[in-house]
Amino acid sequence: MVTTQDDWDRGYADGHRYRPLGDDERSLLATHVPPPVEGRALDVGCGVGELAAHLSTLGYTVDAVDWSETALAEAAAEHGTTVRWLRCDVGSEDFEPPHADGYDLITLRFVYPFLHHRDQTVHALGRRLRPGGALVIITPLAADTPAERREIALDEDELAQLQDRWAKAERHDTEGLAFVVLRGPHRSGPTPRTGRSTAGSRPVPADTYAVPRHLDSTSANAPRQHRFNLLTHYYDQVESGRKTIEVRVANRKKSDVGVGDTIVFRDHYQGGGRELDVVVQQITAYASFDDLLDVEDPARVDPDASRAEQLVSLRRIYPPDKEALGVLAFAFDHRAGRRGRPLPMAPAEYVQTVPHHTVYGCLYIRDEHDRPVQLRSVYGNRLWQFPGGNTDVVGEDPLDTARREAVEETGLELGHGTPRLLLTHYLHPGPRVPLGKIGFIFDGGRLTAEQLSRIRLDPSEHDLWAIHDLSEWRRLMGEAAFARLDAVERARRGRGPRYFVTGQ
């Protein structure tokens, strides 16, 4: 994922582009955010300017901002001066929208997942909306995005959190995109403290910030990391997933931590270099440890100690003059905050170091009396086989293979719907075939007499098909070959294993 201005400039110069503005998006814009009289719009992360130019044709006076000089130069050359093109970083603390009187519409198309501090940035943009104005976020849906590109998309939890923070939110899905219309006020950012708690009431946090995970690609600052040393006892709690809030006093260093930053916890006292990283999801400031433990769930702070025990421990660590600075609750989940280490070798090299296997998929079919139907091979030992074969077509899974091979070998389309997986078979490598074999045997169901009459074998693969009961199949096949058929039938009846191993 790109993280610097140079990355963005290089990407645009190399011809990388997001997908063009679609007709459905244009229709949604016209329907849900039509321009008012003298309407003004701000397009954030405008790229090469297609959306900004379209907003201009709708009747908006448009300011378009982007971090990349390369993109802005192309936008100006393509769309001219109907839009005011400006270079700036919306994620920086000193960002000021170019129009002081605010905007009726602010758009972020394919931008939100890249924001460094998402909630703070959107909160700041929301304060620039005129009364009745809307902020529109257009973003890929994680469910419709390939795994290797998932970081540019939002999942359902992230979309729900985004919408929950606005007084009014509308979502429309189109062609793998979420089109979200948000209207104020935005309910995030600092909230005023109402004072210490009184009897029977709960204290209100001094400052609370909450956003989804941190991805930095529009800010000049790379994702920030902060190292926290932990006693081994607390480190083990985080490592096991039981501790999800860390408490510190609000000194200058800890006050510099922001939502979306990475905390690297170190088991400093145990030694051995143990460390793990988490992403800060929420930071809440309190006047005292008492106030903090009145609001936060003590089990998230120390799942092995009572509230009273935690209060004693905290004040043993931090004397009154430190507590007087104020205290911070850092809430986190267990998503990784740092990229993983590189693999010891490239994937292409690694696969050469492990045993190779072939994979097959087949269908177990029977007649109307549940007697197995098999085909006799023309090759080698003339084995009796189920319809199916090796998965040797790119992009095909074992069930796809079983269906395709059934058509080729019998002329019948079998395995409709989602057939039950009866048995997973592993065949050890041996003298005949030097590779191991992994097989998936699916329930192909019962065939009617009419279906059986339509079987047409491929003579290059099979010369005979037959129906027998199990005792006759045992006699024809011999014990070694019959073992798989017997295991499949026992599994179908719920009387046998679902995993079966044989040797060649």
Side-chain angles (χ1 to χ4, degrees), residues 159-490:
L159 283 164
Q161 288 182 359
L162 168 64
Q163 295 173 78
D164 285 346
R165 293 186 172 86
W166 290 78
K168 183 178 180 182
E170 302 173 48
R171 172 178 164 184
H172 309 272
D173 291 354
T174 173
E175 299 178 322
L177 301 178
F179 183 100
V180 184
V181 184
L182 305 168
R183 301 182 190 273
H186 184 258
R187 293 191 295 262
S188 185
T191 58
R193 185 175 180 81
T194 60
R196 292 181 61 86
S197 59
T198 57
S201 66
R202 291 166 59 87
V204 178
D207 292 289
T208 302
Y209 309 89
V211 295
R213 64 188 174 94
H214 162 50
L215 290 174
D216 175 13
S217 285
T218 58
S219 172
N221 299 318
R224 297 188 303 167
Q225 295 182 14
H226 310 269
R227 295 188 175 273
F228 285 24
N229 290 329
L230 289 179
L231 292 169
T232 298
H233 172 68
Y234 299 124
Y235 184 95
D236 291 343
Q237 291 175 343
V238 176
E239 187 181 64
S240 66
R242 297 188 301 137
K243 176 179 171 65
T244 55
I245 290 178
E246 173 61 8
V247 177
R248 297 293 167 111
V249 296
N251 58 28
R252 183 185 61 80
K253 192 171 183 179
K254 295 303 183 285
S255 296
D256 187 49
V257 180
V259 172
D261 286 354
T262 295
I263 291 178
V264 180
F265 288 119
R266 299 180 63 195
D267 182 7
H268 180 71
Y269 304 96
Q270 177 73 12
R274 290 203 305 169
E275 64 176 39
L276 56 85
D277 52 279
V278 299
V279 176
V280 179
Q281 299 296 305
Q282 181 169 301
I283 304 171
T284 309
Y286 297 90
S288 69
F289 295 127
D290 276 304
D291 284 355
L292 184 149
L293 293 173
D294 281 344
V295 173
E296 307 293 349
D297 180 1
R300 294 184 64 192
V301 178
D302 184 350
D304 298 319
S306 67
R307 180 192 186 282
E309 291 170 332
Q310 291 182 43
L311 197 58
V312 170
S313 296
L314 287 166
R315 286 180 170 149
R316 183 184 300 124
I317 298 170
Y318 298 108
D321 62 317
K322 298 297 185 184
E323 185 177 357
L325 297 172
V327 297
L328 300 172
F330 296 95
F332 52 88
D333 60 19
H334 291 90
R335 282 175 283 191
R338 300 182 292 182
R339 293 185 62 84
R341 299 186 184 95
L343 291 169
M345 61 183 71
E349 296 175 318
Y350 171 72
V351 298
Q352 301 304 317
T353 70
V354 297
H356 290 186
H357 300 80
T358 59
V359 176
Y360 74 84
C362 59
L363 296 170
Y364 179 47
I365 56 175
R366 300 160 317 278
D367 72 355
E368 292 175 310
H369 303 288
D370 267 337
R371 296 177 299 177
V373 179
Q374 293 197 94
L375 321 178
R376 190 174 67 182
S377 172
V378 300
Y379 297 111
N381 294 333
R382 311 295 303 281
L383 297 175
W384 287 95
Q385 301 173 332
F386 305 136
N390 285 339
T391 299
D392 51 16
V393 175
V394 175
E396 189 175 71
D397 64 49
L399 179 55
D400 292 334
T401 296
R403 290 168 172 153
R404 173 179 56 78
E405 291 279 352
V407 172
E408 294 175 3
E409 295 175 354
T410 69
L412 303 179
E413 293 186 359
L414 305 173
H416 297 293
T418 308
R420 182 164 58 113
L421 176 63
L422 296 176
L423 193 74
T424 302
H425 173 220
Y426 181 74
L427 179 65
H428 281 289
R432 187 171 64 86
V433 180
L435 298 178
K437 199 166 192 174
I438 302 169
F440 298 89
I441 302 168
F442 299 91
D443 190 347
R446 295 177 177 179
L447 302 189
T448 65
E450 189 276 330
Q451 286 176 300
L452 291 170
S453 71
R454 290 192 284 111
I455 291 178
R456 297 292 182 268
L457 299 179
D458 177 355
S460 67
E461 293 195 56
H462 301 98
D463 66 350
L464 182 68
W465 65 272
I467 304 170
H468 296 293
D469 60 25
L470 290 177
S471 61
E472 180 64 12
W473 278 124
R474 185 190 299 269
R475 187 187 68 80
L476 285 170
M477 300 172 70
E479 290 296 335
F482 177 75
R484 185 184 70 155
L485 171 58
D486 182 55
V488 172
E489 176 60 21
R490 287 188 293 118

Side-chain angles (χ1 to χ4, degrees), residues 8 18-19 25 45 108-114 137-140 152 177:
W8 287 107
Y18 288 112
R19 72 193 225 185
E25 294 175 78
L108 296 89
R109 183 176 188 265
F110 291 9
V111 172
Y112 184 78
F114 292 91
I137 291 177
I138 305 172
T139 183
I152 73 168
L177 301 178

